[in-house]
Amino acid sequence: MNKHKFIEQRRPHWKQFEETLRNGSRSSLSKLPAEDISNFSQQLREVSHDLATIRSRGWGHDLISYLNDLVARGHNLFYSAPPTNFAGFYRYLAIDFPRLFRANFGYFLTACLLFFLPLGISWYVVQNNPSLANRVIPEELMARFDTMYGEESPLNSVEEKTDDQEETDSSEDTSFGSFGDQRATMAGFYINNNVGIALKCFALGILLGIGTVYTLLFNGIFLGAVSGYIVSQGNGDRFLSFVISHGSFELTAIAVAGGAGLMLGNALIHPGQRKRFESLQVRGLEAVQIAGGAAVMLVVAAFIEAFWSPSDIPNLVKYVVGSGLWLLVFLYLGLAGLQSDSRLVSVRNRERTRSHETDHSGKRQR
Amino acid sequence: MISTTIGETNTTPAVISPPENSNRREVLGLEMLIETPENVILTYQLAGPAKRYLAYIIDLAIRVALTLGMMIVVPMLGFVLPGTAMGVLLVLMFLNTWGYYTISEGFFKGQSIGKHICGIRVIRDGGYPITFWPALLRNLVRNADAIIFYGVGITSMLLTRRFQRLGDLVAGTVVIQERTLSLPRKPVILDKIQPLNKNEIGSFLPRDEVLSLIDEFIGRRHVLTYDRGHALAAVLANNLAERLNYSGDPKKLTQYPMAFLAAVYKTFSFSQQEEEQEFVSAYHLRNQTAEVNLE
């Protein structure tokens, strides 16, 4: 067939396909009637065929690039990403995240070692020798800790009754309102600060894990020194009752994020049977889902830290609830998503054999 | 003496290189090849660092503007509950810092506002659109890329074939350039050009690729100056004339090589091939009418 004849014959089809693309990109393809979709599928295959024909015959660069773009657009529309929704989010928190976490438990343990060990050591050292604290903690921060947890601590002055409700705006009560109002600022601050630290701790893992190790060690030593200093000043009871509740989510989450960061670094150092970058991609996609879970845990921790921990509740209750929260965290990470393992594992294996891409949710809907 | 050395240097690489590259064409440049499920090779044009930097600057400006806007608007809303407003502001700032790219790329088909303006897009390196997790991953790792004013990211981009920064490498994504569609122009039909006289040429048949090349070259002739156009055309024209054993007016060849090319094009792409392929196209036409009847 001659080039001109070919173009003359196919041009109306191309124009029609272009029109379909324009309509399709405006609304999602899934909203079109079934007939249009099968039509579109046929058109895509036809145009793909035209492209292959023209390529093999070498009928000109312009034509190839035009058809190439046409096919590329159709390809993007046809194989578009599945919609994300809240059901997916719930599934992620209830099943996927704890499962991925357990599958990569070793990294978490390593991160715990890098975080809790220096924390414990610096706590022990500083508590027995408080003069060392100023080596780690800036002076003004030390003064602030003294007032925060000292005799006239704001932790004692809060008179309003409160509960561990997480939404503040819903409350009409003014006395609670002003307390909740102050605390909401802190919630925002904790989210901004802590989640930021955890995410950075994860992201820097790409530098062969060095960034993660540094962040974990630094935060461990710092937190240990702060704790040791405050306890050594005789404010231990107020401090411990304050931190025990949110510490459950917060400290665990930092170790979880650190573990995810170590996964990134280790994927580069020990790629196993894969190529280095391939291993980075496969494990990176798992690691980011673990880090995402850590971020959610830190948001929960921020609300507990802002609204429950500073509230005027007998310390005994705080210790009991705090221990309960620790237990809850362990149970969640240890047991969530165990129930339907056999069924889902078979699904996952099927996906793995189909392709080495690990984007499960994306694959399933295609 | 000189001519032989030139001949040697020219031929040695030509002899060695074909067996290496004969079945696999190494593409050097901005193109990325992907094989679709329809078994067709698609090429995407990769976006270079300069364009991505521009998009980054635009996004940066937007993010700064968003921060300023929030700082003005949220406290104004916060007369009733100043503390809550402050908390909301901090959360929004957090989202602006950590979520701007993830949300825009994860939920708006791989384009942040800056990328949209620059006409570039993030896709998975398998040619698929980007989803939430890869978007989050590539933008969390942005922190590592941003070290020394994106020095790490730029270094990584220059060292990888597909201009991938670390975040792209981890998430398995590439940034491509979007092209605007333009219908291919109808092949140039040169009414005034006479096809070559059959008695003046031999039996050589130029390949389709050569004819398309002539077609595209003539279609773009206005881009070049008159002299330059003819100078470029002369290379191919002389070569073709030699192979065709052209025995017609040599002035046609030396003075107006472009016209000669056009004549070659007209000779082969309209007459001979058409005769040869007559029954093939007839067959296709029959098929088409059959298709129409079926529909």
Side-chain angles (χ1 to χ4, degrees), chain B residues 200-218:
Chain B
E200 291 172 354
I201 54 176
S203 59
F204 176 75
L205 275 179
R207 288 186 304 156
D208 271 358
E209 283 95 329
V210 177
L211 293 178
S212 309
L213 180 70
I214 296 174
D215 178 27
E216 289 188 347
F217 177 70
I218 293 173

Side-chain angles (χ1 to χ4, degrees), chain B residues 116-149:
Chain B
H116 185 78
I117 293 171
C118 291
I120 58 181
R121 183 191 293 276
V122 186
I123 58 170
R124 301 297 301 278
D125 53 11
Y128 297 108
I130 190 169
T131 48
F132 175 75
W133 289 114
L136 178 65
L137 184 52
R138 86 183 283 278
N139 288 308
L140 287 184
V141 178
R142 188 179 284 275
N143 277 286
D145 280 311
I147 292 172
I148 335 173
F149 302 106

Side-chain angles (χ1 to χ4, degrees), chain A residues 1-4 11 15 55 58-63 66 68-69 73 79 84 181 185 195 203 206 281 359, chain B residues 38 41 43 81 83-84 107 129 131 140 144 169-170 179 182-184 187 208 212 215-216 220 265 269 277:
Chain A
M1 178 176 300
N2 185 295
K3 181 181 171 185
H4 310 294
R11 188 191 273 264
K15 273 204 162 152
R55 270 240 174 82
W59 274 344
H61 185 259
D62 286 356
L63 204 56
Y66 166 74
N68 181 70
D69 291 358
R73 289 197 176 190
Y79 298 97
T84 32
D181 197 38
T185 309
V195 182
I206 185 91
Q281 282 178 19
D359 188 2
Chain B
E38 289 83 17
I41 306 271
T43 62
L81 292 170
T84 308
F107 297 110
T131 48
L140 287 184
L169 287 172
V170 189
R179 287 177 288 202
S182 55
L183 255 183
D208 271 358
S212 309
D215 178 27
E216 289 188 347
R220 276 196 226 129
Y265 178 69
S269 91
Q277 305 272 347

Side-chain angles (χ1 to χ4, degrees), chain A residues 162-228:
Chain A
T162 182
D163 51 25
D164 61 345
Q165 185 184 359
E166 290 181 357
E167 300 285 324
T168 52
D169 304 45
S170 56
S171 172
E172 294 291 304
D173 183 32
T174 47
S175 63
F176 173 74
S178 71
F179 170 78
D181 197 38
Q182 287 170 16
R183 298 281 107 207
T185 309
M186 291 317 290
F189 172 77
Y190 293 139
I191 290 178
N192 196 345
N193 193 49
N194 297 352
V195 182
I197 288 175
L199 291 180
K200 207 160 203 168
C201 177
F202 161 71
L204 294 181
I206 185 91
L207 307 172
L208 303 178
I210 295 166
T212 304
V213 172
Y214 171 78
T215 314
L216 284 175
L217 288 179
F218 175 81
N219 279 298
I221 292 170
F222 185 79
L223 287 180
V226 168
S227 312

Side-chain angles (χ1 to χ4, degrees), chain A residues 39-177:
Chain A
N39 225 345
F40 176 77
S41 149
Q42 193 192 341
Q43 282 178 333
L44 177 63
R45 275 172 284 145
E46 278 178 14
V47 178
S48 298
H49 182 253
D50 290 343
L51 175 62
T53 309
I54 285 176
R55 270 240 174 82
S56 64
R57 302 200 180 170
W59 274 344
H61 185 259
D62 286 356
L63 204 56
I64 290 176
S65 62
Y66 166 74
L67 277 179
N68 181 70
D69 291 358
L70 214 55
V71 176
R73 289 197 176 190
H75 179 80
N76 279 346
L77 198 61
F78 197 68
Y79 298 97
S80 65
T84 32
N85 50 30
F86 281 103
F89 183 65
Y90 170 75
R91 201 199 124 82
Y92 162 69
L93 281 187
I95 298 173
D96 289 344
F97 163 58
R99 236 172 230 192
L100 280 169
F101 167 78
R102 285 194 299 275
N104 299 290
F105 192 65
Y107 294 105
F108 171 70
L109 279 187
T110 316
C112 278
L113 206 66
L114 287 168
F115 180 61
F116 287 112
L117 193 66
L119 193 152
I121 292 172
S122 80
W123 186 333
Y124 177 78
V125 170
V126 172
Q127 192 176 339
N128 289 327
N129 193 355
S131 61
L132 284 175
N134 58 6
R135 300 258 180 111
V136 186
I137 316 166
E139 289 287 335
E140 65 266 31
L141 216 55
M142 278 165 75
R144 242 182 65 201
F145 286 134
D146 283 342
T147 54
M148 248 175 93
Y149 299 103
E151 290 300 324
E152 286 89 39
S153 150
L155 294 182
N156 298 337
S157 69
V158 179
E159 285 153 12
E160 288 84 3
K161 191 180 161 297
T162 182
D163 51 25
D164 61 345
Q165 185 184 359
E166 290 181 357
E167 300 285 324
T168 52
D169 304 45
S170 56
S171 172
E172 294 291 304
D173 183 32
T174 47
S175 63
F176 173 74

Side-chain angles (χ1 to χ4, degrees), chain B residues 159-170:
Chain B
L159 289 178
T160 48
R161 283 168 59 103
R162 295 170 170 182
F163 297 122
Q164 289 169 297
R165 60 176 177 82
L166 290 181
D168 288 321
L169 287 172
V170 189

